């Protein structure tokens, strides 16, 4: 059995690791499992990395690094389920956030929102470099599982309806039993899932927001800043956030408590633009002038210092995936941004990609086990006739389980993203008032539901129900 994962980013690597965790034990000894990751960039394994560095040869996320991300508690819970060692490596590679400090451009505090879940012990959100998260995952994937610097041009089918991957760089065609599209918002695999291999009927859409950011010494943060704080500030012309992104040496917090900050901090600014900037050819000085024009008059002295000393290396236009009619078709399935690229305001991009990988792998293991299991047939349960049928059943159930949760998060992200757009005076103060009211509520029930209601539990419940003995007809 061959499973090919197109895309070696965070979601793709997680898919590989979860498949290796769940699938081998349920296959008969006569069936070999071959899992291959196809990646267009170099995907070199790198253990040592200086904080905040960006090396374009280091991995597929380097060229779209987006500085850093907040890995939410539900995403961390997925990593803990996957591998305790990997979970510790990721958690301790970033800075644990206990709360978000919301303020406005004139320096007024608006709200303090929790960034932890309600487990015992609590898991904190971890602010971590995208590249560092990728490095942690990549260290657990063997080199021979990745074919990098290969460009996929499309996916078609063989005469017996097996997916076959086509390449534009001379790489020979590759047939598979399952192709997982983990190739981002501009997914090539998506074309074959939602239409034909030649036409993208649901192209990624620029949503009008662009981000710029980078890393600075944590000495630029307020000296007396409470542990576990991430500051996010709203104004008439955009949004500015900053916070520590590493911890002091030997501070093994495992995302379960706050910790003293290390030497590195991250900052980012999001603003509205009419057209998406060219990420490979843009005027750095002009972007810097715009940054200073937007935030130069804001009252937070930390923002002033960061803006005055900022060096612009990259810009990050936000592309979102339109709502797709499906994430799967025969032998093909989408995960992560290929299925549901969302605004960064969600705080859930990486976490939802990890959830996709876990849920899909659990369901594949369940339905393939039923196909290969004689005991299921003897018990009178419906058994998939072929491995391909089992894969399609798993993919359909994956979409059925994941779509409602992701749809709610995408809707909430759009609402939050709108607070970062240009606002007239009245709109600006309405935004401040709404955020202030949110801060006065006992809890953010939506966020806590996302943090605490883990999809893996829903899958386990569904599997238990399907494995239960058929009800007697007498």
């Amino acid at each position: 059995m061959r499973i090919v994962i197109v895309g070696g980013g965070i979601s793709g690597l997680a898919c590989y690791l979860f498949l290796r965790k769940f699938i081998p034990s349920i296959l008969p000894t006569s069936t070999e499992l071959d899992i291959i990751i196809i990646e267009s960039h170099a995907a070199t394994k790198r253990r040592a990395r200086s904080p905040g560095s960006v090396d374009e040869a280091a991995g597929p996320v380097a060229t779209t690094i987006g500085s850093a991300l907040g890995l939410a508690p539900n995403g961390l819970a997925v990593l803990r389920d996957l591998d305790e060692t990997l979970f510790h490596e990721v958690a301790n590679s970033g800075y644990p956030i206990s709360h978000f400090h919301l303020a406005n451009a004139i320096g007024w505090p608006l709200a303090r929102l929790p960034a932890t879940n309600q487990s015992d012990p609590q898991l904190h959100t971890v602010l971590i470099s995208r590249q560092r998260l990728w490095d942690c995952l990549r260290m657990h994937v063997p080199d021979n599982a990745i074919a990098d610097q290969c460009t996929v041009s499309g996916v078609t089918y063989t005469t017996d309806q097996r997916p076959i991957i086509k390449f534009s760089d001379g790489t020979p065609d590759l047939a598979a039993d399952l192709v997982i599209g983990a190739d981002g918002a501009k997914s090539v695999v998506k074309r074959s899932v939602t239409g034909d291999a030649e036409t993208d009927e649901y192209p990624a859409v620029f949503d009008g927001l662009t981000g710029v950011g980078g890393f600075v010494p944590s000495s630029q943060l307020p000296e007396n800043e409470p542990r576990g704080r991430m500051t996010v500030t709203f104004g008439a012309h955009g949004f500015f956030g900053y916070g520590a992104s590493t911890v002091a040496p030997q501070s093994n917090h495992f995302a379960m408590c706050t910790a003293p900050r290390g030497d590195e901090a991250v900052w980012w600014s999001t603003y509205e633009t009419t057209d998406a900037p060219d990420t490979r050819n843009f005027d750095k000085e002009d972007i810097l002038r715009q940054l200073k024009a937007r935030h130069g008059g804001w009252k937070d002295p930390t923002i002033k210092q960061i803006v005055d000393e900022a060096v612009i290396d990259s810009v990050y236009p936000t592309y979102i995936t339109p709502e797709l009619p499906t994430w799967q078709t025969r032998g093909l399935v989408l995960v992560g941004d290929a299925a549901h690229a969302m605004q960064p305001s969600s705080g859930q991009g990486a976490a939802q990609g990890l959830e996709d990988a876990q849920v899909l792998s659990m369901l594949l293991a369940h339905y393939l086990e039923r196909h290969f299991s004689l005991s299921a047939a003897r018990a009178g349960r419906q058994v998939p006739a072929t491995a391909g049928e089992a894969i399609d059943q798993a993919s359909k159930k994956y979409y059925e389980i994941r779509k409602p949760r992701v749809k709610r998060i995408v809707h909430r992200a759009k609402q939050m993203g709108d607070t970062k757009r240009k606002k007239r005076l009245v709109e600006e103060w309405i935004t401040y008032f709404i955020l202030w009211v949110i801060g006065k509520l006992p809890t953010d029930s939506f966020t806590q539901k996302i943090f605490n209601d883990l999809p893996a539990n829903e899958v386990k419940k569904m599997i238990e129900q399907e494995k239960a003995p058929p009800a007697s007809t007498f």
Side-chain angles (χ1 to χ4, degrees):
M1 175 174 289
R2 175 179 290 161
I3 300 175
V4 177
I5 303 166
V6 179
I10 292 167
S11 297
L13 296 180
C15 278
Y16 176 91
L17 294 172
F18 269 115
L19 290 168
R20 278 294 174 195
K21 178 182 177 73
F22 289 121
I23 303 297
S25 63
I26 57 91
L27 295 179
T29 55
S30 59
T31 302
E32 294 185 6
L33 179 62
D34 184 22
I35 307 176
I36 304 169
I37 299 173
I38 305 295
E39 173 51 50
S40 60
H41 297 88
T44 308
K45 186 180 291 185
R46 301 270 296 250
R47 182 180 297 276
R49 175 171 298 283
S50 59
S53 63
V54 178
D55 182 347
E56 290 193 358
V61 301
T63 55
T64 56
I65 190 169
S67 296
L69 58 85
L71 186 56
N74 52 304
L76 288 164
V78 171
L79 291 178
R80 186 170 57 185
D81 286 348
L82 173 59
D83 184 284
E84 192 82 17
T85 299
L86 174 60
F87 162 68
H88 289 163
E89 291 169 355
V90 170
N92 292 326
S93 294
Y95 183 76
I97 302 296
S98 62
H99 66 281
F100 302 100
H101 172 69
L102 276 58
N104 66 14
I106 60 176
W108 294 359
L110 298 175
R112 174 190 169 109
L113 302 181
T116 59
N117 67 1
Q118 295 172 345
S119 63
D120 186 18
Q122 291 180 323
L123 285 178
H124 293 56
T125 295
V126 170
L127 187 57
I128 183 173
S129 154
R130 284 181 182 270
Q131 186 67 53
R132 204 169 293 130
L133 173 58
W134 183 88
D135 285 336
C136 289
L137 290 163
R138 177 65 181 87
M139 287 302 300
H140 289 257
V141 176
D143 292 340
N144 61 8
I146 300 181
D148 63 359
Q149 302 188 72
C150 298
T151 304
V152 174
S153 59
V155 183
T156 58
Y157 289 91
T158 62
T159 54
D160 60 352
Q161 295 304 296
R162 290 183 75 202
I164 185 165
I165 300 171
K166 302 284 187 177
F167 297 86
S168 60
D169 56 9
T171 301
D173 294 352
L174 183 64
D177 297 285
L178 172 64
V179 175
I180 300 175
D183 48 341
K186 300 182 180 181
S187 170
V188 172
V189 178
K190 179 183 65 179
R191 299 203 303 255
S192 295
V193 171
T194 58
D196 62 71
E198 302 299 324
T199 306
D200 190 351
E201 297 182 5
Y202 297 88
V205 178
F206 174 59
D207 78 342
L209 293 174
T210 296
V212 60
F215 295 92
V216 295
S218 62
S219 58
Q220 292 192 15
L221 302 182
E223 185 176 353
N224 59 347
E225 182 179 61
R227 287 187 183 182
R229 171 188 282 190
M230 183 164 72
T231 298
V232 289
T233 304
F234 298 84
H237 302 289
F239 162 97
F240 198 99
Y242 62 81
S245 56
T246 59
V247 294
Q250 311 305 317
S251 299
N252 294 326
H253 54 86
F254 308 120
M256 297 178 188
C257 61
T258 59
R261 68 193 187 201
D263 294 333
E264 175 192 283
V266 64
W267 67 271
W268 63 100
S269 169
T270 304
Y271 58 100
E272 187 174 16
T273 54
T274 303
D275 301 311
D278 184 345
T279 58
R280 297 187 179 184
N281 182 25
F282 62 93
D283 186 337
K284 295 181 180 181
E285 292 303 316
D286 182 55
I287 295 293
L288 184 58
R289 283 193 296 271
Q290 293 180 39
L291 179 72
K292 291 180 177 180
R294 283 195 308 278
H295 305 298
W298 290 19
K299 298 302 182 183
D300 185 337
T302 300
I303 294 177
K304 286 187 174 183
Q305 182 179 2
I306 291 174
V307 168
D308 286 345
E309 301 179 15
V311 176
I312 305 299
D313 292 317
S314 303
V315 292
Y316 317 107
T318 300
Y319 287 90
I320 59 175
T321 304
E323 184 174 347
L324 305 180
T326 182
W327 299 352
Q328 60 82 35
T329 190
R330 60 186 190 281
L332 308 179
V333 65
L334 304 175
V335 299
D337 284 353
H340 48 70
M342 57 188 71
Q343 291 179 335
S345 305
S346 69
Q348 283 288 321
Q352 291 309 300
L354 294 173
E355 288 184 1
D356 286 349
Q358 182 181 32
V359 169
L360 177 62
S361 300
M362 292 173 70
L363 292 168
L364 284 168
H366 169 61
Y367 285 103
L368 285 170
E369 182 181 31
R370 292 185 70 174
H371 166 65
F372 289 115
S373 173
L374 289 176
S375 61
R378 290 169 181 162
R381 301 189 189 99
Q382 186 177 1
V383 176
T386 64
E389 184 179 320
I391 288 171
D392 287 343
Q393 286 185 3
S395 299
K396 290 175 183 177
K397 183 62 72 172
Y398 155 76
Y399 175 69
E400 179 184 317
I401 290 175
R402 293 290 297 138
K403 180 61 183 293
R405 178 175 170 91
V406 168
K407 187 174 182 177
R408 290 193 299 270
I409 294 170
V410 168
H411 178 69
R412 177 64 172 262
K414 183 182 184 306
Q415 291 177 323
M416 292 302 298
D418 287 345
T419 65
K420 301 177 181 180
R421 301 185 188 278
K422 294 177 182 177
K423 293 177 283 292
R424 295 187 292 270
L425 182 62
V426 173
E427 294 172 326
E428 178 185 1
W429 282 91
I430 289 175
T431 298
Y432 297 159
F433 178 72
I434 291 173
L435 293 173
W436 178 82
V437 169
I438 290 173
K440 295 301 179 183
L441 297 176
T443 182
D444 181 354
S445 59
F446 178 89
T447 299
Q448 284 303 315
K449 187 174 179 62
I450 297 300
F451 283 176
N452 292 284
D453 293 352
L454 304 179
N457 294 334
E458 183 180 353
V459 176
K460 291 174 185 176
K461 182 178 180 181
M462 184 276 295
I463 291 174
E464 289 174 0
Q465 291 173 343
E466 292 198 355
K467 285 185 174 181
S472 173
T473 57
F474 299 98

